[in-house]
Each structure stands twice: as structure tokens, then as C-alpha cells.
């Protein structure tokens, strides 16, 4: 799916990413961690072709990412930014319809719009202007706009920000469905690994940990857990439930 080789990226004289090598296969679920400024968002933008100017190689389905037109990318990769500025007074309905029609591969005769509205519990906001939404409501809308595109690859930049526990659990349940039933490839930037405990995905997750703009660790989450205290520089409590150990 996505192959990243010897990737470097700079803003002016500042190194943002250095020597990044990563292989994302079909039906992978990757969680990207890192302190502020380590390049998490930049890496996600680069692999979704939302940012250019890097050195190295990014391949999508064995083809150079730069050889794709943006419209082709939109039909393969759904991208949810960490935040978005709206210059037009769209309603929730209009924004979702624009998102749905951005992918020409979608069967427009399906009930995708109503199903998405209900799944993300956005029915009562359908005719609201986007700028009238709270932070959590906007996060649900942005995730819904990616869900409705039905792309093979889904790139999410901190989709759990501003969500209360109930909607965090709902979001992780939706990601379960995307991963296990729809067999999507998911790459998600996140700050709090504990949210993964809401999900059935946990044992399947692969982790990319960035530090000092380089890869600190890349691999299965079970191999990463023993490193979390040193990596996040926090004291964690270990709670055992049967054969499962949780770090909180």
C-alpha cells in the first residue's frame, strides 16, 4: 500500500523528519505517537499528499506518490486533518455531501449519507452551520466526512481530540468496523494510547513512535508497551485483568 523510504523533510533550516522508513500494508492499523513537534502531522500529510517538498521516496501501490493526481489520491486515501478552517458557511449536510461526491468511485444511489449521519449521531445538527458546532461535534463531522468517502486507506490526525468518553468509545467502535468488517487500512496520529483499550483492534495495532524527528520504535504494540514509561516520560500504573495487562 504505502512504502516510505529514506524520507527527510525540512521547514526552512529546521529538520522535521529524518530518515523515515515505513511499510504500511493492506489492512494494517498504525498508531503514530510522539511529543509535540516530532513530525507526526507532517508525516501523515506527506503520505496523504497534503504536503510536498520532501526528499526520499513515497510509494502508493508501487507507484510514486508524486505521479498521482490529487483527484486520484482522493479516491484512495481519506484524510482527516487535526483542524480545519472553513471559508464557506456550509451546513453539516452540505459538507458531508461534498465529501461523498469527492470520490467518484462511490455508488451515489446508496443510502450512505443517511447511514453516516446516524452512525455519527449527527442527525440533529444536519442543518446547522459548521461554525456553530462544538469542538467534539466538529471532530465527529470530520471523521464522518472521511468515513463517507469509502477509501481504501484512512489517515486520521488526532480524531479523538475534544471527544467525551462516550463518543471516544463510539469512534473506536466505528474504527473496529472499518478495520475488521470493511478491511480498511488505517493510519492514526494519537496522543493517548489508553483510547485503544476501547477497541477490539488493540492486539492488531502497529505502533510508530517518533522522537527527535526520527523513528524511536516501529512494530507491534505489545512490543512497544514496555517502552512507554521511558518514551512518554511518565509513571504508569500496571493493572492486570486475567491474562491482559493494562498501562494507565
Amino acid at each position: 500500500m504505502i512504502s516510505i523510504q529514506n524520507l527527510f523533510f525540512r521547514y526552512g533550516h529546521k529538520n522535521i523528519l529524518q530518515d523515515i522508513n515505513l511499510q504500511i500494508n493492506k489492512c494494517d492499523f498504525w498508531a503514530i505517537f510522539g511529543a509535540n513537534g516530532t513530525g507526526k502531522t507532517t508525516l501523515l500529510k506527506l503520505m496523504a499528499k497534503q504536503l510536498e517538498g520532501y526528499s526520499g521516496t513515497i510509494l502508493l501501490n508501487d507507484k510514486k506518490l508524486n505521479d498521482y493526481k490529487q483527484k486520484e489520491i482522493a479516491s484512495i486515501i481519506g484524510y482527516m486533518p487535526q483542524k480545519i478552517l472553513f471559508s464557506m458557511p456550509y451546513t453539516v449536510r452540505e459538507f458531508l455531501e461534498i465529501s461523498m461526491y469527492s470520490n467518484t468511485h462511490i455508488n451515489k444511489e446508496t443510502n450512505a449519507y443517511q447511514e453516516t449521519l446516524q452512525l455519527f449521531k449527527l442527525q440533529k445538527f444536519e442543518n446547522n452551520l459548521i461554525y456553530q458546532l462544538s469542538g467534539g461535534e466538529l471532530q465527529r463531522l470530520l471523521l464522518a466526512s472521511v468515513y463517507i468517502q469509502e477509501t481504501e486507506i484512512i489517515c486520521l490526525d488526532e480524531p479523538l481530540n475534544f471527544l467525551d468518553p462516550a463518543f471516544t468509545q463510539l469512534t473506536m467502535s466505528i474504527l473496529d468496523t472499518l478495520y475488521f468488517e470493511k478491511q480498511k487500512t488505517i493510519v492514526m496520529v494519537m496522543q493517548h494510547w489508553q483510547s485503544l483499550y476501547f477497541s477490539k483492534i488493540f492486539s492488531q495495532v502497529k505502533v510508530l513512535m517518533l522522537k527527535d524527528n526520527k523513528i524511536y520504535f516501529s512494530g507491534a504494540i505489545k512490543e512497544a508497551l514496555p517502552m512507554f514509561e521511558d518514551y512518554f516520560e511518565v509513571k504508569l500504573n500496571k493493572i492486570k485483568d486475567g491474562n491482559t495487562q493494562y498501562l494507565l
Side-chain angles (χ1 to χ4, degrees):
M1 294 240 89
I2 300 177
S3 178
I4 298 173
Q5 303 160 11
N6 308 116
L7 178 70
F8 289 79
F9 185 82
R10 303 165 64 98
Y11 280 124
H13 297 292
K14 184 178 180 181
N15 290 319
I16 305 299
L17 292 167
Q18 301 181 63
D19 198 22
I20 303 298
N21 292 276
L22 182 66
Q23 179 65 42
I24 299 171
N25 298 317
K26 183 175 176 60
C27 297
D28 273 356
F29 189 110
W30 281 89
I32 302 178
F33 295 107
N36 294 336
T38 53
K40 304 183 301 296
T41 291
T42 299
L43 179 58
L44 200 70
K45 284 182 176 180
L46 288 170
M47 67 175 70
K49 206 183 178 187
Q50 299 293 314
L51 195 60
E52 296 183 341
Y54 60 88
S55 63
T57 303
I58 304 178
L59 301 177
L60 174 60
N61 295 330
D62 298 319
K63 177 180 173 180
K64 285 186 177 180
L65 194 67
N66 286 337
D67 291 340
Y68 284 89
K69 296 179 180 177
Q70 198 61 47
K71 192 171 183 179
E72 292 178 294
I73 294 291
S75 68
I76 302 171
I77 301 176
Y79 170 71
M80 174 185 168
Q82 188 178 131
K83 55 187 175 181
I84 189 168
L85 297 176
F86 295 97
S87 57
M88 298 292 288
Y90 290 124
T91 64
V92 166
R93 181 186 185 94
E94 289 167 340
F95 184 70
L96 284 178
E97 288 179 341
I98 290 169
S99 300
M100 181 168 63
Y101 281 83
S102 68
N103 187 348
T104 57
H105 294 165
I106 294 176
N107 180 356
K108 305 302 189 297
E109 302 304 317
T110 66
N111 295 319
Y113 171 75
Q114 286 298 334
E115 290 172 2
T116 302
L117 206 65
Q118 291 172 17
L119 182 62
F120 288 88
K121 302 186 185 303
L122 292 167
Q123 302 98 309
K124 68 179 181 179
F125 307 112
E126 184 176 9
N127 297 311
N128 285 27
L129 294 171
I130 291 174
Y131 63 74
Q132 296 173 324
L133 300 178
S134 70
E137 291 159 359
L138 180 58
Q139 285 296 95
R140 281 153 52 197
L141 176 61
L142 293 177
L143 184 56
S145 73
V146 173
Y147 180 92
I148 206 170
Q149 292 175 44
E150 299 181 0
T151 54
E152 293 179 71
I153 302 171
I154 297 173
C155 293
L156 308 172
D157 195 353
E158 300 198 27
L160 305 178
N161 279 1
F162 309 113
L163 297 184
D164 60 34
F167 280 108
T168 296
Q169 188 169 17
L170 173 65
T171 300
M172 295 310 299
S173 175
I174 291 168
L175 292 178
D176 281 342
T177 299
L178 287 169
Y179 180 77
F180 288 110
E181 297 180 21
K182 297 181 178 290
Q183 298 186 318
K184 302 297 185 182
T185 301
I186 300 172
V187 184
M188 180 166 73
V189 171
M190 59 190 309
Q191 292 287 358
H192 306 292
W193 74 91
Q194 296 94 330
S195 301
L196 293 169
Y197 293 144
F198 284 111
S199 168
K200 298 175 184 176
I201 298 171
F202 185 80
S203 62
Q204 308 294 319
V205 172
K206 296 179 180 179
V207 171
L208 179 68
M209 297 155 68
L210 297 175
K211 189 170 186 178
D212 298 325
N213 309 105
K214 301 176 183 177
I215 292 179
Y216 178 88
F217 173 81
S218 173
I221 193 167
K222 289 185 177 180
E223 296 175 19
L225 286 174
M227 309 177 193
F228 275 11
E229 280 196 334
D230 289 338
Y231 177 70
F232 289 105
E233 298 180 355
V234 294
K235 181 66 177 174
L236 301 174
N237 295 316
K238 298 177 183 178
I239 300 174
K240 195 165 185 179
D241 180 13
N243 294 324
T244 304
Q245 180 172 281
Y246 298 95
L247 292 178
L248 300 173

